[in-house]
Amino acid sequence: SQQGEEDPQALSIQEGENATMNCSYKTSINNLQWYRQNSGRGLVHLILIRSNEREKHSGRLRVTLDTSKKSSSLLITASRAADTASYFCATDATDSWGKLQFGAGTQVVVTP
Amino acid sequence: EAGVAQSPRYKIIEKRQSVAFWCNPISGHATLYWYQQILGQGPKLLIQFQNNGVVDDSQLPKDRFSAERLKGVDSTLKIQPAKLEDSAVYLCASGDYNEQFFGPGTRLTVL
């Protein structure tokens, strides 16, 4: 079974708009990570947020984490066509050290 | 820095045949992972190695899948015999629980 569940499953936006996707998970975590996957570059690590952090930024990416609700969100600001990809959250659960569990992903399409 | 290398990139086989995938992790990475990614789903961990020892293989279908990591560097994943439901992309990754670096994957089609 997959620990993280992303919402929405698919998202279509225009260049310049912001894209927000959410991830819910079931158990206590050490950290939560977001990955991007496209046909050109495969699966790439974007950002990690630890369980004691609430918000983190990296370039145009903003990640929030609410451990009380067991949820996280990824915001991509000022999207570009190159952001077209599938985005996955992955959790490092406290009871399975070092083992990441991925959600099913959000497919994002950014049109020029 | 060289990334994670995998081969072959594509493989088509008939059901009940055998297939093997190869992975060369990033130099110096002690931990190596094999994932199975079925179309439309996220990657699912099959097996995790620390150096040449198995840390977790709880989701590896051991009746048909096997993996080894000789000398703590390269790794091979084998399926014998393959079933239709094994059609997927097999991803190799190295790194640790803070960040994993993925190879391009091997797309397996079982007919």
Side-chain angles (χ1 to χ4, degrees), chain A residues 46-84:
Chain A
L46 293 177
I47 196 167
L48 176 151
I49 187 165
R50 302 189 190 283
S51 59
N52 61 352
E53 297 175 312
R54 291 297 167 258
E55 187 170 314
K56 207 159 182 182
H57 297 255
S58 177
R60 294 183 295 110
L61 305 179
R62 173 178 169 253
V63 169
T64 62
L65 179 65
D66 187 336
T67 53
S68 67
K69 295 181 179 178
K70 291 187 168 57
S71 68
S72 173
S73 68
L74 171 67
L75 168 68
I76 306 172
T77 60
S79 62
R80 305 167 183 168
D83 295 328
T84 294

Side-chain angles (χ1 to χ4, degrees), chain A residues 8-21:
Chain A
Q9 289 186 330
L11 185 59
S12 184
I13 57 174
Q14 293 197 314
E15 269 191 330
E17 294 181 336
N18 295 342
T20 300
M21 59 211 85

Side-chain angles (χ1 to χ4, degrees), chain B residues 8 16 29 48 50 52 56 63 82 90-91 107:
Chain B
R16 291 188 289 273
H29 283 184
Q48 177 184 345
Q50 180 77 16
N52 59 350
D56 188 322
D63 58 334
Y90 290 84
L91 297 164
R107 183 177 297 276

Side-chain angles (χ1 to χ4, degrees), chain A residues 6 15 26 29 31 63 77 106:
Chain A
E6 286 93 340
E15 269 191 330
K26 298 172 185 172
I29 59 172
N31 66 66
V63 169
T77 60
T106 293

